[in-house]
Amino acid sequence: MDGTPGERDERTDGAAAPTSGAGAWQGPSAEPAGRHTRAVVADRSDRNVWGDLYARSAALRELARELNEHHDDATGLLSDVFLAAYQAAPRLRERAEMAPSRLARHRIVTSLVASPEFAELRRETVGDPYAAAMAVLARATELRRMLERSPGGGERAARAPRARRGDGGEAASVDGAAPMGGAHQQAADGADMADDKGDGADEHGAVPPPATPAPARQPARGAAPQAPATTDAAPGHRAATRNAAAKHAAATRHEAALTRTWGFDAAELERLPWDQRARLAERLRTGRLAQWAELIGRFRRMAGGERARKVENTAGELIGVTLGDDLSRVIPSELAHLGLPALRAVFAARYAAGELMLYDHQGEQNTGRGAIVACVDTSHSMYAAGPGGVTREAWAKACALALLDQARHARRDFVGILFSAADKLQVFRFPAGRPAGIAEALDFAETFLGGGTSYQSPLTAAGELLEEEFNDAARTRGDIVLITDDECGVTEEWMRGWNDAKRLLGFRVFGVAIGAPRAAETGSVLESLCDNLRTVEDLTDVRTAADLFRVI
């Protein structure tokens, strides 16, 4: 089958390559039999990874096109650099195993792999196709410089425009090397994805000796001798290379940390098209909440810890020991009395008197089974910053994203409702039956509506969603979390309908008043709307909302 440029070991059996309308091209017939064209040993799986990535990455193809205009075998070089960055233990072929036309590639790859900065970079790229491809792009300047310093590299670059203007529209050969563009590039560099058995190559990419040796290709007049390439740069260049590699490694680590912070699944990221993942990385670095990634991460870790502490099917948080007659909560030392005949009567007497020692709990029973709905205020006042420079919006969005994790863990639907004024409302739905989309989660986190504040619109929408869930799946006992920094009124008629919906659907309402103690006062509208209300004043403290993740 057709392949991706730079992938398949070219034949070294002297067979002529196919011709096309762009001009006849004789294959690498002068290569000694059994020599290799790939510098890095790779199996079919690794070559497929490169081929797929190359096909999906416009940036890689553009770099290959640019380098191929001035240098032979540039696309193949990119594939070897990628494999050296991607493989866990890359193995380079011996120089004697390489086809003469690919010795420059071998020298460049050997020089790169031996450099300390490349070894540092590999800590972030091994096993990650995207990171390895980004490493190739990050080394573009260095690769360009190495190609120019390779034997005849600068001369070929200078003569490339004349070669492309050869008589009869054919691309002229430079230094006796086959031209590497268009259909010729596809034939020479791009066939590595085909079945090795189909083209006579063994599993290492070498081709058995042909029955009849092919005539040697004559070098062009004035061709440069094959001398070892000088790839060592000047001290300034070496420093620039080290700095570039260190910068790219730091950027790769930062991007990986951001994806972990946001909770994106690694497998889902690998399935993203190249360009989409590159845009995602840029969005994570520069988006609206990029500076609050650390806060989001702390919220998610705190929520995970609270889930681990949760005791299912109890009345809430364990706080100590009390007295009573509830046999389901008797402590082990009391139960031990039943094992001693002499103390069984004492146990019975204490049980009758309600004086058995029991585990004591406080809080609400974890009864939520319906959807979790986070109503997040995005009015103008939410843009205000609190202690530590954290905005109210950032705290609210971080809490909502942690609630999304909570819903995923409990296999419950999640709905994010962003609201401000009565006519400004945006709903984001994350059904439990499918993974939370990365783009949707970012859209939810970065959307800011502005304007005033209205409780009725978001709570009405939340109640309708829970009613829809009840009608479709007969699920009740959903949870609504209202996060706001303001206090506003509701009509009596709306309040009556709201209370009726609560009784019918059995949902709970948790309120979070951010930096607004007045909204949490006794008798406030927010206090009358919520079954459970807390005030958050220190926006750097994520544990203020810890109890939410034990009872929801």
Side-chain angles (χ1 to χ4, degrees), residues 156-499:
R156 282 192 296 273
R159 274 190 274 171
R162 295 199 304 271
R164 289 194 298 272
R165 294 194 300 268
D167 293 339
E170 297 181 6
S173 176
V174 179
D175 287 345
M180 304 297 286
H184 299 154
Q185 176 68 42
Q186 184 74 13
D189 279 322
D192 206 10
M193 299 295 289
D195 194 312
D196 286 341
K197 294 181 180 179
D199 62 13
D202 63 15
E203 69 273 17
H204 301 295
V207 179
T212 304
R217 182 179 57 187
Q218 297 297 323
R221 183 179 304 171
Q226 292 293 326
T230 304
T231 56
D232 291 335
H237 288 162
R238 288 198 298 269
T241 298
R242 286 194 297 271
N243 291 338
K247 183 177 180 181
H248 177 70
T252 303
R253 285 193 294 269
H254 180 58
E255 181 180 330
L258 283 175
T259 55
R260 288 193 299 269
T261 292
W262 283 83
F264 297 148
D265 183 71
E268 185 179 0
L269 286 173
E270 290 184 4
R271 289 192 296 268
L272 287 178
W274 164 275
D275 295 337
Q276 186 176 343
R277 183 166 176 181
R279 288 194 298 271
L280 171 64
E282 180 65 19
R283 190 174 180 183
L284 290 178
R285 288 192 297 268
T286 62
R288 181 178 182 83
L289 296 181
Q291 61 178 318
W292 307 122
E294 191 271 338
L295 175 69
I296 295 171
R298 285 197 290 126
F299 245 109
R300 296 185 65 248
R301 291 191 295 272
M302 179 273 293
E306 294 304 317
R307 282 195 297 272
R309 292 181 55 196
K310 184 186 298 185
V311 180
E312 299 290 346
N313 302 317
T314 67
E317 181 183 4
L318 175 64
I319 60 172
V321 177
T322 187
L323 299 179
D325 59 359
D326 186 350
L327 295 178
S328 66
R329 293 190 289 137
V330 175
I331 66 175
S333 60
E334 286 278 31
L335 291 175
H337 294 165
L338 294 175
L340 300 174
L343 295 179
R344 288 174 184 170
V346 176
F347 181 91
R350 296 180 63 181
Y351 172 67
E355 295 179 352
L356 292 175
M357 287 189 291
L358 313 175
Y359 285 121
D360 189 17
H361 304 87
Q362 74 174 12
E364 300 182 55
Q365 188 176 1
N366 179 32
T367 58
R369 289 297 179 269
I372 297 176
V373 184
C375 299
V376 180
D377 188 351
T378 58
S379 60
H380 283 311
S381 57
M382 290 289 287
Y383 197 70
V390 179
T391 65
R392 297 173 180 179
E393 178 203 6
W395 193 97
K397 296 286 182 62
C399 182
L401 290 171
L403 287 170
L404 172 58
D405 280 353
Q406 189 85 349
R408 282 285 160 277
H409 183 268
R411 296 181 177 86
R412 300 168 65 182
D413 290 349
F414 177 82
V415 181
I417 299 178
L418 304 180
F419 70 93
S420 57
D423 60 341
K424 291 187 176 182
L425 191 77
Q426 196 158 347
V427 179
F428 297 84
R429 306 187 70 163
F430 301 87
R434 62 177 177 83
I438 295 175
E440 292 87 344
L442 285 175
D443 289 341
F444 169 66
E446 295 180 350
T447 299
F448 189 82
L449 302 177
T453 304
S454 170
Y455 291 163
Q456 290 187 190
S457 295
L459 292 177
T460 297
E464 291 174 349
L465 288 166
L466 293 178
E467 183 178 5
E468 176 185 337
E469 182 182 40
F470 172 74
N471 293 334
D472 292 344
R475 282 198 297 268
T476 59
R477 297 181 298 177
D479 291 312
I480 298 174
V481 181
L482 177 61
I483 308 175
T484 182
D485 71 337
D486 204 356
E487 171 78 349
C488 65
V490 296
T491 65
E492 291 185 7
E493 181 181 0
W494 181 90
M495 194 68 182
R496 284 194 295 270
W498 175 252
N499 290 331

Side-chain angles (χ1 to χ4, degrees), residues 40 80-81 84-85 90 92 108-116 118-119 122:
V40 178
D80 272 338
V81 175
L92 271 61
I108 291 174
V109 175
T110 301
S111 177
L112 278 176
V113 172
S115 63
F118 194 79
R122 275 177 38 79

Side-chain angles (χ1 to χ4, degrees), residues 112-135:
L112 278 176
V113 172
S115 63
E117 54 269 18
F118 194 79
E120 175 69 19
L121 188 62
R122 275 177 38 79
R123 296 181 181 179
E124 313 301 329
T125 62
V126 170
D128 187 340
Y130 174 78
M134 290 299 292

